């Protein structure tokens, strides 16, 4: 036994990393190829351990003993449910309100004033995760006097979209105390909802959530004044990134802005947009082309 502060650790608390058999590695590569083909996820051989670890919980839930059983289950499933589980397990949903806050400053101070003559503002929040980004956009546009704006917020994951629809967040998601901006846009929970906040209905009404795979987009209306597609493309392989950027550019209105994650560079990707600020690009106005 080893003493660590007040905790006693048995020798069995830690273990050597598991050696993967050839069959397991083969199953992981098959699953990685499926994830690449359907979702553009870049999962090189070096990530096999991560893939296996993330799929372990799904295998247990399905009562499947080996990675090969799990790969066969995904390959045989025609309903799409297994693919949905696979992408849930292999992607991260990390997000926060006003993440990379300079983008929201730009939206309020530079972009919104240019849209004064624009009768209808349409913003697309692609890969919106649990909704914090889409609501941050809506709140920012309200600050800029554009309560009429519509935010279309999409993600591939049904689980995160269900959470986003509720618009319900723990207090840890926000700076404390209950500051002025929070009072404007969030209701504070009472009694058994103490410690929780709910986005106010007038903000929730500005946002429409919908499922969409960026790699196989269907029915995207187009002509958005701004598109936020942040911190999803970094999981895609280069070819998929190129296809997604081309698709997003095509869906921007002339003069529209594309916001990408600060860790996502468009260097080496062919596009016709102009860089305006870190991780912000603008599509040329029609008469300038
Ligand atoms: C790390 S979160 C980023 C959330 C938010 N955009 C932000 O920057 O805070 C990445 C999101 O991308 C989504 N995603 C991954 N692959 C996708 C795809 N092919 N199509 C649409 N969404 C995808 C995931 O489900 C996840 O919610």
């Amino acid at each position: 036994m080893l003493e660590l502060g007040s905790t006693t650790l048995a020798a069995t608390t830690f273990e050597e990393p598991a050696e993967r058999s050839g069959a397991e590695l083969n199953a992981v590569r098959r699953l990685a190829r499926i994830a690449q083909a359907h979702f553009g996820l870049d999962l090189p051989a070096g990530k096999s351990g991560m893939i296996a670890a993330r799929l372990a919980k799904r295998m247990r839930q399905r009562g499947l003993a080996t990675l090969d059983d799990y790969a066969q289950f995904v390959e045989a499933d025609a309903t799409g449910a297994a693919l949905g589980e696979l992408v849930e397990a292999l992607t991260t949903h990390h997000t926060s309100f006003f993440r990379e806050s300079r983008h929201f400053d730009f939206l309020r101070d530079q972009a919104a004033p240019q849209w004064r003559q624009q009768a209808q503002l349409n913003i697309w929040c692609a890969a919106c995760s649990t909704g914090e980004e889409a609501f941050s956009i809506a709140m920012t546009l309200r600050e800029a006097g554009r309560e009429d704006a519509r935010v279309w917020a999409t993600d591939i994951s049904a689980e995160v979209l269900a959470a986003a629809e509720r618009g319900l967040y723990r207090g840890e998601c926000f700076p404390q105390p209950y500051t002025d901006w929070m009072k404007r846009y969030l209701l504070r929970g009472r009694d058994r909802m103490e410690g929780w906040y709910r986005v106010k209905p007038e903000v929730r009404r500005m946002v429409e959530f919908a499922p969409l795979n960026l790699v196989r987009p269907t029915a995207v209306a187009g002509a958005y004044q701004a598109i936020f597609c942040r911190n999803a493309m970094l999981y895609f392989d280069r070819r998929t990134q190129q296809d997604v950027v081309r698709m997003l550019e095509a869906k921007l209105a002339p003069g529209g802005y594309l916001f990408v994650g600060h860790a996502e560079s468009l260097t080496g990707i062919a596009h016709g947009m102009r860089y305006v600020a870190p991780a912000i690009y603008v599509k040329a106005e029609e008469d300038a082309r």
Side-chain angles (χ1 to χ4, degrees):
M1 291 283 187
L2 173 71
E3 295 295 325
L4 189 73
S6 58
T7 316
T8 303
L9 300 172
T12 52
T13 305
F14 297 94
E15 59 183 13
E16 293 285 343
E19 284 290 325
R20 308 243 161 253
S21 69
E24 279 183 316
L25 287 175
N26 176 288
V28 168
R29 295 322 307 151
R30 273 153 56 210
L31 288 162
R33 274 197 295 277
I34 294 172
Q36 201 282 331
H38 287 269
F39 314 115
L41 298 184
D42 186 22
L43 299 166
K47 292 195 175 171
S48 296
M50 179 276 278
I51 299 174
R54 289 197 170 187
L55 294 177
K57 183 174 145 207
R58 302 287 171 172
M59 281 165 52
R60 277 197 303 278
Q61 285 169 345
R62 290 273 172 198
L64 297 166
T66 67
L67 278 163
D68 187 55
D69 293 340
Y70 190 76
Q72 284 185 37
F73 159 70
V74 175
E75 285 160 351
D77 179 70
T79 66
L83 279 178
E85 275 183 21
L86 184 65
V87 73
E88 295 291 349
L90 296 179
T91 55
T92 81
H93 301 303
H94 173 76
T95 186
S96 56
F97 279 90
F98 300 101
R99 180 180 189 184
E100 301 178 1
S101 63
R102 273 184 295 176
H103 280 172
F104 299 95
D105 298 340
F106 184 94
L107 185 63
R108 185 192 57 227
D109 301 335
Q110 316 242 357
Q114 292 168 15
W115 296 330
R116 255 185 231 118
Q117 309 299 324
Q118 194 78 43
Q120 179 60 56
L121 269 191
N122 291 308
I123 314 294
W124 179 11
C125 176
C128 64
S129 188
T130 38
E132 289 89 330
E133 185 178 45
F135 291 132
S136 301
I137 295 170
M139 291 170 187
T140 303
L141 291 172
R142 291 185 84 83
E143 292 289 301
R146 293 307 300 256
E147 305 65 16
D148 60 318
R150 310 283 320 144
V151 183
W152 191 50
T154 62
D155 199 282
I156 197 168
S157 159
E159 283 178 24
V160 294
L161 288 171
E165 289 277 3
R166 286 191 288 276
L168 192 60
Y169 300 94
R170 286 187 182 278
E172 297 88 279
C173 298
F174 306 103
Q176 296 296 325
Y178 193 34
T179 54
D180 282 347
W181 78 262
M182 289 172 70
K183 288 179 189 161
R184 281 200 289 286
Y185 302 123
L186 300 166
L187 300 167
R188 187 155 55 162
R190 281 194 319 214
D191 306 327
R192 67 189 180 87
M193 292 311 286
E194 184 82 44
W196 289 81
Y197 292 87
R198 184 138 205 240
V199 178
K200 287 190 179 179
E202 57 269 34
V203 180
R204 292 209 312 274
R205 269 197 294 275
M206 293 169 68
V207 184
E208 183 194 343
F209 291 101
L212 185 112
N213 181 356
L214 282 168
V215 176
R216 298 180 175 190
T218 49
V220 180
Y224 292 93
Q225 277 71 43
I227 300 176
F228 281 66
C229 184
R230 307 188 310 163
N231 305 303
M233 276 193 288
L234 75 179
Y235 301 108
F236 298 162
D237 60 61
R238 205 68 182 156
R239 215 176 87 200
T240 306
Q241 288 176 351
Q242 175 67 74
D243 292 347
V244 170
V245 169
R246 279 216 187 285
M247 181 273 294
L248 296 173
E249 183 179 358
K251 298 298 175 190
L252 277 175
Y257 292 101
L258 175 65
F259 297 78
V260 299
H262 281 87
E264 294 164 321
S265 160
L266 296 194
T267 310
I269 293 193
H271 63 84
M273 295 172 288
R274 183 171 56 79
Y275 170 94
V276 275
I280 308 177
Y281 298 81
V282 66
K283 180 166 169 170
E285 293 285 354
E286 234 138 38
D287 53 8
R289 284 197 255 175

